[in-house]
Amino acid sequence: MNIALAQLNYIIADIEGNSEKIISNINKARSAGADLVVFSELAVSGYPPDDLLDYPHFIDQCRLAIDKIASHCNGITAIVGCPMENPEETGRRLYNTACILSEGRLSGVVYKTLLPTYDVFNESRYFEVNDIFKTVEIKGRRMAVTICEDLWHEMDRFDYQDNPLALIAKDAPDIIINLSASPFNQGKMQERMEVLQKQSKAFQLPLVYVNQVGVNTDLIFDGSSVVLNRDGQTIVQLSSFKEDFVIYDTANIYEPLANTETNNIAQIYDALVFGIRDYFGKMGFKKAVLGSSGGIDSAVVQALLSDAIGSANVLAILMPSQYSSEGSVEDAKRLSELLGNPYEIIPIADVFKTFEQGLSGLFAGMSFGLAEENIQARSRAVYLMAISNKLGNILINTSNKSEMSVGYSTLYGDMCGSLSVLGDVFKTEVYQLAEYINRSGERIPEAILHKAPSAELRPDQKDSDSLPEYPVLDAILRAYVEDQVDPEHIIASGQDRAVVEKVIKLVNNSEYKRFQAPPILRVSKKAFGRGRVMPLVSKWR
Amino acid sequence: MNIALAQLNYIIADIEGNSEKIISNINKARSAGADLVVFSELAVSGYPPDDLLDYPHFIDQCRLAIDKIASHCNGITAIVGCPMENPEETGRRLYNTACILSEGRLSGVVYKTLLPTYDVFNESRYFEVNDIFKTVEIKGRRMAVTICEDLWHEMDRFDYQDNPLALIAKDAPDIIINLSASPFNQGKMQERMEVLQKQSKAFQLPLVYVNQVGVNTDLIFDGSSVVLNRDGQTIVQLSSFKEDFVIYDTANIYEPLANTETNNIAQIYDALVFGIRDYFGKMGFKKAVLGSSGGIDSAVVQALLSDAIGSANVLAILMPSQYSSEGSVEDAKRLSELLGNPYEIIPIADVFKTFEQGLSGLFAGMSFGLAEENIQARSRAVYLMAISNKLGNILINTSNKSEMSVGYSTLYGDMCGSLSVLGDVFKTEVYQLAEYINRSGERIPEAILHKAPSAELRPDQKDSDSLPEYPVLDAILRAYVEDQVDPEHIIASGQDRAVVEKVIKLVNNSEYKRFQAPPILRVSKKAFGRGRVMPLVSKWR
């Protein structure tokens, strides 16, 4: 039996475009001699469709698309993910469904059992839980058809009560099929392989795993689909971060593939470049603009943008103030020259002075402080947004996760942008990315890598005036934000009590800033944004 | 038997403060001769605690608080809402729990069965589902203890599979107790009463319903706790929008209370004033600042702020540009005079000109357009935020729901602020609020109520140049945003096809702006914010 794995990039709510792509891959699979072609979870609607699922006509359109796709399924069976109405009168109105399409029609459905509802996942908001556990027979083979989380009954933070595969196993399957929409984060590829291997070995069954690829705003789906043999060995491996299509012949004897070593920083680089490129592609955007300060964060974003959408499409705006060092402007110019980006210099001293004059009555007798620092950051944002509005370049945010965590950033200032590239990348990782970007030669000027980080909003300012050194800060943040470690345990792990308490207070006190932050490309297991919902009014300290 | 209803205002994560308040009300109830005192859902943690529930030490602290509260329960039983650990090894790690405290200890627990996970509710993210249905015996009475949604098995959009009360009813209860955290929205008080009446009548049991009161950022909990007799008639009614404490004697014969007529606009006014006041109170803020344009939206916000935190604490900033009419400034001055607010005038022409000069090279040969309109709105935001940073006044947003829906607002400009007061109030309702505010005399100048709405960002601009008249716009928005009506059905209801299509396109195209909007006080059944999650990258049109 020939099974095609169609690892495709869908656009949310582009039901027509997604359907066409699915149909063209059904035809391709048939031509290549496949008996079955497997697509990913909610392929018709795109994943995650969020509250579009509340619109009845969205569901109707998905249903019509399934019928149209089915009409192309002659001489081949397709398994396609789609939201479908719950035929019962009680319970959630929808099921997250694997539609079995054959002989020109919808011949069967399999519903999802385990509905992830934590971190970035929200499926209990929309879907009813499956309670039917049977195999699907296709060309005499008994398929255990499952959807994504159905294989993940053992979780980091809790276990589901049942393993759906164990229930289907009573119906004597020959093979496991899984339709997924499993997003990337650091360590996820390995974690995912361990889950798949465990299930395959536990039930001594081959496993065909089809993940989607593509970026939906903040979520980066890496693809990386696989086939495992009954010993849990990888025998077919599809690409990461791009579409792929492979046929697996169940009659073949495949040599197990060696697990390829993965470099964490290279993966983050690939994910971010893919994240930017797919965002621009899906939105129909061509050009970007960013504030280029001469610091490491904007330099790394500028390089990533250049690699994602082309150097000529990245406009760098240098906006020195009276507090910018001469070096900063020179470094930023040199960066644009090395990367081949057009750039403009717009000093902000005049506009800063004009704001100060406008406020001179109200602020009479008060000294320079946070308000004046923020005026500079916000004046830059006004320039950047004006350029974006006028020229159509999309403003890209350059804040990193360390800053975002402690609120070391100006709301409506450097926190502006339509997408945050580094908002899930700690400062220490930003340096590693810079080194990776420079791996074959200087693209980011060495001077930028080696100077002390500074916001340059007042004379001789350094980040280290207000914050602990970044390796210490990032270690505390990783424990508190990503691993939800009790402050007392962080202190017990060897960190200074006063520093830990200060950092955690800063994190808790800056929820209001993050509430208005741009969407952030997610590359860690706990990113700011939809996966971390914190109360704004609270006494949590 | 005497049952005390303690309708209190809790602060999220203020476990110590909440516990003290609970203990003091236990003592008060005991002194007043109560046998039982009932508190609301998740009273110890505050509701909703969101992802604080992911922090193990948060749960530990709640558990310690329950023991401390229990130690005060001698000679009286208390039922207190608290998140509690799931003792089982599988399933979600927590239960949303009603703790039964008596004889100085935690003597029993009742878990929540129906976990709302739609709109602003997210409980499946954290909690396991109860599957034990028994009464709790207190002083010889069999209590059907339920938590909020447990009474709401029949929903607007779907029905739950079971009615928990029907399952507990097999255990022959004498009375229904419900601990709630049920937020206000238009029509909610009546809807809630219908649900309670239906359950009470169906099981022919009296019902003691204790809701929390208080505002947690966007969610306004109105209290309005009640006792119904076994015929579903209201016999005890607690206040709306403030704390209350009442003792219900089961041996008494109560006269049914007449249902008081409620004025929708008066309710919205009460909710918004309470929303502002409790936000400032819980955050420890004293003073507000807003941009006062001479238009209706900022005028209504200025009046609501004055009523919530006192006129002297509301600083109005008038920032005319060259496109502001003379009338606007005069109207705004008169408004501040009528309301008794301090105000400052800061013209923005100079700063606008300075920005234009900075951009003259890049924008050479291009004509005035959206970029220049937005520079004005954003310059105002820079001034307002500088004032906020310097003086400590909290910037309050003045956008209304009609503008927010269609994106007729400037991101990082008039969309700034720490809280949006009118973001869930359509423009047509803003006018009704203004009339209500003026019900006993002119507080908002009549001229503001009667001029044509304008953003005044270019010469002779009127909202009606770009948008349909507000009654038409609001009707379409209400159908599309609040009721998720198919555009074809909106057109079939009598709206012009071109207008409907234009409005819906504007709504769908401005998701990215709302993503970065401030939290919005929720007064409708579908507000922008946590209750409406839409994909940013999508082809939904």
Side-chain angles (χ1 to χ4, degrees):
Chain A
M1 181 175 202
N2 286 323
I3 302 177
L5 289 79
Q7 172 180 301
L8 304 177
N9 188 347
Y10 306 99
I11 300 180
I12 289 171
D14 186 13
I15 297 172
E16 196 176 321
N18 296 339
S19 299
E20 281 169 17
K21 188 174 263 197
I22 291 166
I23 290 167
S24 109
N25 277 271
I26 289 170
N27 293 333
K28 181 175 171 182
R30 191 197 291 103
S31 304
D35 306 288
L36 169 65
V37 51
V38 182
F39 298 88
S40 57
E41 181 178 14
L42 298 189
V44 171
S45 57
Y47 185 99
D50 295 332
D51 285 1
L52 293 177
L53 294 170
D54 285 345
Y55 282 85
H57 61 297
F58 182 74
I59 305 304
D60 292 346
Q61 287 176 31
C62 289
R63 185 63 183 83
L64 291 173
I66 281 293
D67 288 339
K68 183 175 167 195
I69 296 166
S71 73
H72 292 264
C73 292
N74 289 299
I76 189 166
T77 298
I79 307 182
V80 180
C82 188
M84 298 284 276
E85 271 191 17
N86 177 357
E88 300 297 321
E89 295 214 340
T90 60
R92 295 273 160 183
R93 300 206 318 185
L94 300 174
Y95 278 110
N96 184 335
T97 307
C99 295
I100 318 293
L101 311 180
S102 62
E103 295 174 22
R105 65 188 184 85
L106 174 65
S107 58
V109 289
V110 176
Y111 300 139
K112 188 171 183 176
T113 306
L114 303 185
L115 301 173
T117 305
Y118 52 81
D119 193 58
V120 299
F121 304 106
N122 219 353
E123 293 191 27
S124 298
R125 186 172 170 93
Y126 312 105
F127 299 115
E128 186 52 65
V129 174
N130 170 59
D131 58 2
I132 300 169
F133 299 94
K134 289 193 311 192
T135 58
V136 175
E137 195 170 313
I138 298 171
K139 281 221 161 184
R141 303 281 177 130
R142 300 168 78 89
M143 309 270 173
V145 177
T146 57
I147 303 176
C148 204
E149 191 87 348
D150 287 342
L151 299 185
W152 296 68
H153 70 291
E154 292 179 330
M155 299 297 298
D156 228 24
R157 297 186 63 85
F158 69 96
D159 290 352
Y160 289 99
Q161 289 179 342
D162 289 311
N163 178 359
L165 262 190
L167 299 170
I168 311 178
K170 295 175 186 164
D171 199 28
D174 299 311
I175 189 164
I176 304 164
I177 305 280
N178 188 268
L179 288 69
S180 267
S182 174
F184 169 82
N185 54 245
Q186 292 186 55
K188 181 70 171 283
M189 291 187 186
Q190 180 163 355
E191 183 190 6
R192 194 191 285 148
M193 284 310 298
E194 286 167 9
V195 167
L196 302 183
Q197 285 162 5
K198 194 166 175 184
Q199 295 281 24
S200 167
K201 285 198 280 190
F203 296 95
Q204 283 287 301
L205 291 173
L207 195 166
V208 173
Y209 176 85
V210 181
N211 190 19
Q212 75 168 350
V213 67
V215 184
N216 289 322
T217 318
D218 49 338
L219 300 183
I220 300 169
F221 296 88
D222 56 303
S224 317
S225 303
V226 287
V227 180
L228 306 187
N229 66 20
R230 62 185 64 239
D231 298 318
Q233 293 164 314
T234 303
I235 53 173
V236 176
Q237 174 72 61
L238 278 70
S239 307
S240 298
F241 304 117
K242 59 181 178 196
E243 291 195 340
D244 207 348
F245 179 96
V246 170
I247 291 187
Y248 158 59
D249 179 352
T250 59
N252 258 9
I253 306 292
Y254 289 82
E255 276 300 303
L257 302 172
N259 271 346
T260 48
E261 275 300 306
T262 49
N263 173 327
N264 187 40
I265 286 297
Q267 269 186 7
I268 296 177
Y269 170 87
D270 289 345
L272 294 176
V273 168
F274 182 52
I276 296 165
R277 186 182 292 140
D278 212 33
Y279 175 78
F280 275 76
K282 285 177 175 166
M283 297 297 282
F285 299 148
K286 297 285 175 225
K287 295 189 294 182
V289 62
L290 82 168
S292 187
S293 70
I296 186 85
D297 301 313
S298 55
V300 167
V301 172
Q302 200 170 324
L304 293 168
L305 281 169
S306 301
D307 295 350
I309 62 170
S311 294
N313 294 318
V314 181
L315 175 60
I317 308 294
L318 287 59
M319 292 172 287
S321 76
Q322 57 271 49
Y323 307 112
S324 302
S325 62
E326 184 59 31
S328 293
V329 181
E330 289 311 309
D331 293 342
K333 283 164 70 172
R334 172 117 176 95
L335 172 71
S336 286
E337 286 157 6
L338 282 171
L339 294 173
N341 303 131
Y343 67 90
E344 292 283 336
I345 303 178
I346 306 178
I348 63 162
D350 286 351
V351 90
F352 177 69
K353 198 191 300 169
T354 314
F355 276 121
E356 275 198 314
Q357 283 162 355
L359 291 162
S360 56
L362 208 51
F363 289 4
M366 299 181 182
S367 55
F368 184 100
L370 181 67
E372 287 76 11
E373 294 189 29
N374 285 336
I375 288 173
Q376 297 167 65
R378 294 191 178 115
S379 295
R380 292 186 175 115
V382 175
Y383 274 125
L384 289 168
M385 285 303 296
I387 292 165
S388 177
N389 288 160
K390 194 62 126 193
L391 306 181
N393 296 47
I394 301 303
L395 177 60
I396 298 299
N397 174 279
T398 62
S399 303
N400 65 59
K401 189 172 190 174
S402 309
E403 292 171 353
M404 293 274 261
S405 296
V406 294
Y408 196 73
S409 53
T410 301
L411 186 57
Y412 319 131
D414 52 297
M415 285 187 70
C416 290
S418 67
L419 185 70
S420 166
V421 172
L422 297 180
D424 198 30
V425 180
F426 286 118
K427 187 81 171 189
T428 45
E429 296 169 323
V430 175
Y431 281 100
Q432 293 175 283
L433 274 174
E435 280 166 19
Y436 182 78
I437 288 164
N438 278 0
R439 67 197 179 283
S440 314
E442 188 186 42
R443 300 181 66 214
I444 295 172
E446 286 296 319
I448 291 179
L449 271 85
H450 296 116
K451 66 180 151 191
S454 167
E456 297 195 331
L457 293 172
R458 57 185 139 83
D460 301 321
Q461 187 177 28
K462 297 275 171 291
D463 291 9
S464 53
D465 302 342
S466 325
L467 299 175
E469 295 294 337
Y470 280 111
V472 171
L473 177 63
D474 289 356
I476 296 169
L477 292 173
R478 205 182 288 275
Y480 184 67
V481 175
E482 296 193 356
D483 297 326
Q484 287 101 28
V485 178
D486 177 348
E488 291 301 325
H489 285 108
I490 300 175
I491 293 160
S493 77
Q495 301 288 1
D496 180 76
R497 174 174 297 272
V499 173
V500 169
E501 288 179 350
K502 177 183 170 180
V503 168
I504 288 179
K505 189 173 167 190
L506 289 170
V507 173
N508 293 335
N509 284 350
S510 51
E511 294 301 344
Y512 77 99
K513 289 190 183 181
R514 289 187 292 272
F515 188 91
Q516 297 186 46
I520 295 168
L521 287 175
R522 176 181 179 274
V523 294
S524 83
K525 66 179 175 180
K526 185 57 79 179
F528 295 120
R530 75 164 85 199
R532 187 172 180 277
V533 183
M534 295 296 266
L536 299 188
V537 173
S538 105
K539 296 274 181 200
W540 184 240
R541 297 293 173 263
Chain B
M1 180 176 201
N2 286 323
I3 303 177
L5 289 78
Q7 172 180 301
L8 304 177
N9 188 347
Y10 306 100
I11 299 180
I12 290 172
D14 186 12
I15 297 171
E16 197 176 320
N18 296 339
S19 300
E20 280 168 18
K21 187 175 266 198
I22 291 166
I23 290 166
S24 109
N25 277 271
I26 289 169
N27 293 334
K28 180 174 171 182
R30 190 196 295 102
S31 305
D35 307 288
L36 169 66
V37 51
V38 182
F39 297 88
S40 57
E41 179 178 14
L42 298 189
V44 172
S45 58
Y47 185 100
D50 296 333
D51 285 1
L52 293 177
L53 293 171
D54 286 344
Y55 282 85
H57 60 297
F58 182 75
I59 305 303
D60 293 344
Q61 287 174 31
C62 289
R63 185 64 184 82
L64 291 172
I66 280 293
D67 288 339
K68 182 175 166 196
I69 296 166
S71 73
H72 292 263
C73 292
N74 289 298
I76 189 167
T77 299
I79 308 183
V80 180
C82 187
M84 297 285 277
E85 271 192 18
N86 177 356
E88 301 297 320
E89 295 214 338
T90 60
R92 297 271 160 185
R93 301 203 318 186
L94 300 174
Y95 280 109
N96 184 336
T97 306
C99 296
I100 317 294
L101 311 180
S102 62
E103 294 173 23
R105 64 187 185 87
L106 173 64
S107 58
V109 289
V110 176
Y111 300 141
K112 188 172 184 177
T113 306
L114 304 185
L115 301 174
T117 305
Y118 53 81
D119 192 59
V120 299
F121 304 106
N122 218 354
E123 292 190 26
S124 298
R125 186 173 171 93
Y126 312 104
F127 299 115
E128 186 53 65
V129 174
N130 169 59
D131 59 1
I132 299 169
F133 300 93
K134 288 194 310 194
T135 57
V136 175
E137 195 171 312
I138 299 172
K139 281 222 163 186
R141 305 279 177 133
R142 300 167 78 89
M143 310 270 172
V145 176
T146 58
I147 304 176
C148 204
E149 191 86 349
D150 287 342
L151 299 185
W152 295 68
H153 70 292
E154 290 179 331
M155 300 296 298
D156 227 25
R157 298 187 62 88
F158 70 96
D159 289 351
Y160 290 97
Q161 290 179 342
D162 289 311
N163 178 358
L165 262 191
L167 298 169
I168 310 178
K170 295 174 187 167
D171 200 28
D174 299 311
I175 189 165
I176 304 165
I177 304 281
N178 187 268
L179 287 68
S180 267
S182 174
F184 170 81
N185 54 246
Q186 291 185 56
K188 181 68 171 285
M189 290 186 188
Q190 181 162 358
E191 183 190 6
R192 194 190 286 147
M193 284 311 297
E194 286 167 10
V195 167
L196 301 183
Q197 285 162 6
K198 194 167 174 182
Q199 296 281 22
S200 167
K201 286 198 280 192
F203 296 95
Q204 283 287 301
L205 291 172
L207 196 166
V208 173
Y209 175 86
V210 181
N211 191 19
Q212 73 169 349
V213 68
V215 185
N216 289 322
T217 318
D218 49 339
L219 300 182
I220 300 168
F221 296 88
D222 56 303
S224 316
S225 303
V226 286
V227 179
L228 306 188
N229 65 20
R230 61 184 65 238
D231 299 318
Q233 293 164 314
T234 303
I235 52 173
V236 176
Q237 174 73 62
L238 279 69
S239 308
S240 298
F241 305 117
K242 60 180 179 201
E243 291 195 339
D244 206 350
F245 179 95
V246 171
I247 292 188
Y248 158 60
D249 179 352
T250 58
N252 258 10
I253 307 292
Y254 288 83
E255 276 300 300
L257 302 172
N259 271 347
T260 47
E261 275 299 305
T262 49
N263 173 329
N264 187 40
I265 287 296
Q267 268 186 8
I268 296 176
Y269 170 87
D270 288 344
L272 294 176
V273 169
F274 182 51
I276 296 165
R277 186 182 293 141
D278 212 31
Y279 175 78
F280 275 76
K282 285 177 176 166
M283 297 296 283
F285 299 149
K286 297 283 176 228
K287 295 188 294 180
V289 62
L290 82 168
S292 187
S293 70
I296 185 87
D297 301 313
S298 54
V300 167
V301 172
Q302 200 170 323
L304 292 169
L305 280 169
S306 302
D307 295 350
I309 61 171
S311 295
N313 293 319
V314 181
L315 175 60
I317 308 294
L318 286 59
M319 293 171 286
S321 76
Q322 56 270 51
Y323 307 111
S324 301
S325 61
E326 184 59 32
S328 293
V329 181
E330 289 311 310
D331 292 343
K333 283 165 70 173
R334 172 117 177 94
L335 172 72
S336 285
E337 286 156 8
L338 282 172
L339 293 173
N341 305 131
Y343 68 90
E344 290 284 334
I345 304 179
I346 306 178
I348 63 163
D350 287 350
V351 89
F352 177 68
K353 198 193 299 171
T354 314
F355 275 122
E356 274 198 314
Q357 283 163 354
L359 291 161
S360 58
L362 209 50
F363 288 5
M366 298 180 184
S367 54
F368 184 100
L370 181 69
E372 287 76 10
E373 293 189 29
N374 284 338
I375 289 173
Q376 297 167 64
R378 294 190 179 115
S379 295
R380 292 185 175 117
V382 175
Y383 273 125
L384 290 169
M385 286 302 297
I387 292 165
S388 177
N389 287 160
K390 195 64 126 192
L391 307 182
N393 296 46
I394 301 303
L395 178 59
I396 298 300
N397 174 279
T398 62
S399 303
N400 65 60
K401 189 173 191 175
S402 309
E403 292 171 354
M404 291 275 262
S405 296
V406 294
Y408 196 74
S409 52
T410 300
L411 186 58
Y412 319 131
D414 53 297
M415 287 187 69
C416 290
S418 67
L419 185 71
S420 166
V421 172
L422 297 180
D424 199 29
V425 179
F426 287 118
K427 188 81 171 188
T428 45
E429 296 169 323
V430 174
Y431 280 100
Q432 293 175 282
L433 274 173
E435 281 166 18
Y436 182 79
I437 288 163
N438 278 359
R439 67 195 179 284
S440 314
E442 187 185 42
R443 300 180 66 213
I444 296 172
E446 286 295 319
I448 291 179
L449 271 84
H450 297 117
K451 65 181 152 191
S454 168
E456 297 196 331
L457 294 172
R458 57 185 138 84
D460 300 321
Q461 186 176 29
K462 296 276 171 290
D463 291 8
S464 54
D465 302 343
S466 325
L467 298 175
E469 295 294 337
Y470 280 111
V472 171
L473 177 64
D474 289 355
I476 296 170
L477 293 173
R478 205 182 287 273
Y480 183 67
V481 174
E482 295 192 355
D483 296 327
Q484 289 101 27
V485 178
D486 178 349
E488 290 301 325
H489 286 108
I490 300 175
I491 293 160
S493 77
Q495 300 288 0
D496 181 74
R497 173 174 296 275
V499 173
V500 170
E501 288 179 351
K502 178 184 169 179
V503 168
I504 288 179
K505 189 172 167 188
L506 289 170
V507 173
N508 293 335
N509 283 350
S510 50
E511 294 301 344
Y512 77 99
K513 288 190 184 180
R514 289 187 291 272
F515 188 91
Q516 297 185 45
I520 295 168
L521 288 175
R522 177 182 179 273
V523 294
S524 83
K525 66 179 174 180
K526 184 58 80 177
F528 296 120
R530 75 164 83 197
R532 186 172 180 276
V533 183
M534 295 295 267
L536 299 188
V537 172
S538 105
K539 296 274 183 202
W540 183 240
R541 297 295 174 265

